Every structure is written in structure tokens, then in C-alpha cells.
Amino acid sequence: MDNLLLKDFAAWKMENDQIFETFHENNSVIYERLEPVYSVLNHLYNNVCEGGVLDEDTETIFQVGFNYLHSQFEVIKIYYETLFQSSCDDFIGYSEMLLFLLYIFDIKNDLENHGYDSEIDELNELEESIENMIVERRRDDLLIKEQMNTVLEKVFKDVDYEYVSIIDIFVEIAESFGIFLYEENELVIGKEI
């Protein structure tokens, strides 16, 4: 593997660790969304640091995951640092809307990568509507969720396309590495045996 990519990831972690940890501590949906990718990258990175090597498949996973994490987090940071002046409380109130924007961005990229036209009027209008709500600090979560469902259902039907998000893929990859992100702690009531 290219050592430069590993160094880039280490530098990315140093640069963004504080913001990422702030999202984690505040139970942000942004952290929840990126956690599968981040956890897999950390697992692979730590493996290499401990003397392990990455085969062709795990190297590809690392490259794809890091490119995705980097691009997503740059968009998030623009909103967090610029629009919300790094105020986590204000930002968290609009995090779900930002997730909708990121989801639309992912869908458009995936459509393009599979040879489809991603310039779909309904999708562009929805994206613009969400961006305006965030910038104007307006919220109508129910309306946006309904619009998201309606537009995405129409787009996938019209294009005859089934979308699988990179997040879902990385959840599966994490589990294959023994990283179980969503396990809940069991509460045992009674005496220990």
C-alpha cells in the first residue's frame, strides 16, 4: 500500500479528531453515519501500524473508505465551521437535514458512477430546498422527510435503479472484520452464576 495514503489518513485524524469526537460525545447523527467507515479505516490502519499488511482487497477498501470519509467530512466541516461557527448545539439541530444533503450527494455520485444521468430536476429541487432551510435556519422536518421519500421513490422507479449506500457496505465490512458497531449492552438482572 502507498505509505502516503496511510500518512494522509493519520494527518486527517489529527486534523479532524477534535470535531469528530465532539460529534461523538454529543450523539450526533453525523458521527453515527460516518462511524462504520471511520471504524473500518482505524482497524486497517492499526493493523498496518502493528506490522500487518493489507492485501489488494483491504487496500481498495481503505482507499475507497478514506476518499469517502474525507470528501464527506469536508462538506460537513464547511457547514459546521462556517454556517454554525463551530457551535455544536446549533449544528446538531440541523444535522439530520445535512444528512439528507449528503445522502442526495451520494445518490448522485452513485448514479454517475453507474452511467446514469444524475441531473434530475426533482432531486436538484429537493437539494436546493434543504440547503435553503439550513442556511435560513428554518426547519420543517416532516415536510422534508415526506419530500425525500416521494422524490427518491420516483427517481429510483424512473431510473429503475436500486441504491446501496457506501455506509451500508462499510457496516458489512466492519462486521466481517469483527467490528460490531450496533451491539447493545445486555442488562442482566438477578444473581451472577
Side-chain angles (χ1 to χ4, degrees):
M1 171 178 251
D2 184 2
N3 277 338
L4 188 58
L5 187 61
L6 291 170
K7 289 178 183 176
D8 285 348
F9 179 66
W12 182 91
K13 283 177 55 170
M14 288 174 35
E15 179 183 335
N16 296 296
D17 186 57
Q18 185 176 2
I19 296 172
F20 205 66
E21 192 55 36
T22 298
F23 293 161
H24 183 217
E25 291 168 357
N26 287 282
N27 299 315
S28 169
V29 293
I30 297 292
Y31 178 83
E32 288 176 24
R33 175 180 170 77
L34 298 177
E35 182 183 19
V37 178
Y38 186 71
S39 295
V40 168
L41 292 177
N42 267 327
H43 174 80
L44 295 174
Y45 178 79
N46 291 336
N47 183 39
V48 170
C49 289
E50 293 169 3
V53 293
L54 301 179
D55 61 23
E56 189 175 329
D57 290 339
T58 52
E59 185 175 324
T60 300
I61 290 168
F62 192 90
Q63 288 175 325
V64 168
F66 182 51
N67 289 338
Y68 180 81
L69 182 66
H70 184 271
S71 67
Q72 293 277 297
F73 210 72
E74 287 305 306
V75 172
I76 292 164
K77 278 177 38 179
I78 289 169
Y79 280 91
Y80 179 69
E81 294 175 346
T82 306
L83 188 59
F84 292 95
Q85 286 83 40
S86 300
S87 169
C88 195
D89 291 337
D90 293 339
F91 179 77
I92 285 178
Y94 290 87
S95 293
E96 190 172 13
M97 291 222 189
L98 182 55
L99 283 185
F100 293 152
L101 284 179
L102 294 172
Y103 192 74
I104 292 169
F105 178 73
D106 285 353
I107 290 169
K108 285 182 168 187
N109 279 339
D110 202 58
L111 285 169
E112 286 177 17
N113 290 338
H114 288 90
Y116 294 95
D117 182 15
S118 67
E119 288 303 313
I120 301 168
D121 290 338
E122 293 92 342
L123 211 50
N124 291 337
E125 289 167 12
L126 178 60
E127 183 177 25
E128 185 177 326
S129 176
I130 296 169
E131 285 174 343
N132 288 339
M133 281 186 154
I134 294 171
V135 169
E136 296 167 5
R137 305 271 176 105
R138 287 186 292 118
R139 291 190 54 180
D140 194 343
D141 294 354
L142 186 59
L143 174 69
I144 290 299
K145 286 178 183 178
E146 288 174 4
Q147 287 179 343
M148 280 286 291
N149 288 334
T150 303
V151 168
L152 293 178
E153 186 177 308
K154 181 183 183 327
V155 166
F156 293 146
K157 183 180 177 190
D158 290 351
V159 178
D160 190 25
Y161 185 74
E162 185 176 332
Y163 173 66
V164 178
S165 79
I166 195 163
I167 301 300
D168 293 335
I169 293 167
F170 269 79
V171 167
E172 290 182 23
I173 292 169
E175 288 178 3
S176 74
F177 289 146
I179 305 167
F180 298 100
L181 304 166
Y182 305 115
E183 281 188 340
E184 294 182 26
N185 294 332
E186 291 185 28
L187 177 63
V188 177
I189 301 176
K191 295 181 182 178
E192 284 188 28
I193 298 177

